[in-house]
Amino acid sequence: MREYIIADNQDITKAGMLFLLDGLKDVGNISEVDNRSELIKEFRSFPEAVVILDYTLFDFGGADELLILHERFPKIDWILFSEDLSEEFVKRILYSSQSFSFVMKDNSKEEITSALQCAMHKERFICNHISNMLIGKQNTLPKETVLTNTEKIILKEIALGKTTKEIAAERNLSFHTINSHRKNIFRKLEVNNVHEAIKYAMRAGIVDLAEYYI
């Protein structure tokens, strides 16, 4: 069970998040804060919470201040939930820690819910908008660099013939969470089916031929 802190000063956003959290299992205390001082106070009470933060609406002086706060409370998981985030900011945060997830306020209900579920299990979630931003600007990098460690593991298990239900059971996660990872993997790698995903996993060295044909 995880506690959630909604760090946003827009009432409609808070109401929407409360509605989505109400539909999830294993959600503990939910608190709301309007500024950084209140946020730090909640961190002291709930040092392993998930914080849903609209960084653009809070009094942070830059990415470094956010990362310093993360260092003070290393067990906190972050969902950065905003209308707009710069590419520079996203890269700075994304490459600094696995504890930060990204989702935009105009994302679908499904994507936002997936972000909440992943954070509950300490798994990173990166929405389509942010992934497309990074892929579009980093065409010179291998595609597998945009996959999270969890996504690489799930891709390997898919390549080894495991079903979404089997992967979910082995990792003690919901079918929906694994299915969301699966969709993100296919989108990031620009593949349309399992066969193409398997070929990619082999080319990238995520799974080798010996494992595949056992």
Side-chain angles (χ1 to χ4, degrees), residues 183-197:
K183 290 178 181 178
N184 282 331
I185 291 166
F186 280 31
R187 173 182 49 75
K188 290 179 179 181
L189 299 183
E190 300 176 1
V191 300
N192 298 310
N193 53 56
V194 171
H195 179 66
E196 292 178 358

Side-chain angles (χ1 to χ4, degrees), residues 18 22 26 41 43 105 115 132 160 180 184 199:
L18 287 170
D22 186 58
D26 298 324
K41 183 178 179 181
F43 282 177
K105 289 189 174 180
N132 290 336
L160 293 176
S180 294
N184 282 331
K199 290 196 324 187

Side-chain angles (χ1 to χ4, degrees), residues 61-191:
D64 287 339
E65 287 190 11
L66 181 59
L67 292 173
I68 289 171
L69 187 57
H70 170 55
E71 289 178 3
R72 289 178 59 190
F73 300 94
K75 294 184 178 180
I76 293 288
D77 286 294
W78 303 75
I79 299 176
L80 299 184
F81 183 55
S82 298
E83 293 181 0
D84 184 45
L85 293 171
S86 72
E87 179 188 344
E88 179 182 1
F89 172 82
V90 170
K91 288 180 178 179
R92 178 77 175 89
I93 299 298
L94 187 66
Y95 301 147
S96 296
S97 173
Q98 288 285 329
S99 297
F100 289 90
S101 295
F102 292 85
V103 66
M104 308 304 291
K105 289 189 174 180
D106 61 354
N107 284 152
S108 66
K109 175 184 174 182
E110 179 182 3
E111 273 200 286
I112 297 171
T113 301
S114 293
L116 296 172
Q117 291 176 321
C118 287
M120 178 180 291
H121 299 288
K122 301 192 77 66
E123 296 179 350
R124 171 183 277 181
F125 181 89
I126 301 174
C127 71
N128 290 343
H129 177 89
I130 297 297
S131 294
N132 290 336
M133 174 201 293
L134 297 175
I135 292 172
K137 296 296 183 178
Q138 300 182 45
N139 289 331
T140 58
L141 294 177
K143 288 180 183 178
E144 65 267 23
T145 62
V146 301
L147 295 183
T148 66
N149 290 333
T150 298
E151 287 169 346
K152 290 179 182 179
I153 291 170
I154 291 173
L155 174 57
K156 180 175 181 177
E157 292 177 337
I158 291 171
L160 293 176
K162 295 180 182 179
T163 66
T164 301
K165 184 177 180 180
E166 288 171 338
I167 297 170
E170 289 178 4
R171 295 180 61 80
N172 197 28
L173 296 174
S174 70
F175 177 92
H176 177 79
T177 298
I178 298 300
N179 197 44
S180 294
H181 280 306
R182 179 189 176 106
K183 290 178 181 178
N184 282 331
I185 291 166
F186 280 31
R187 173 182 49 75
K188 290 179 179 181
L189 299 183
E190 300 176 1
V191 300

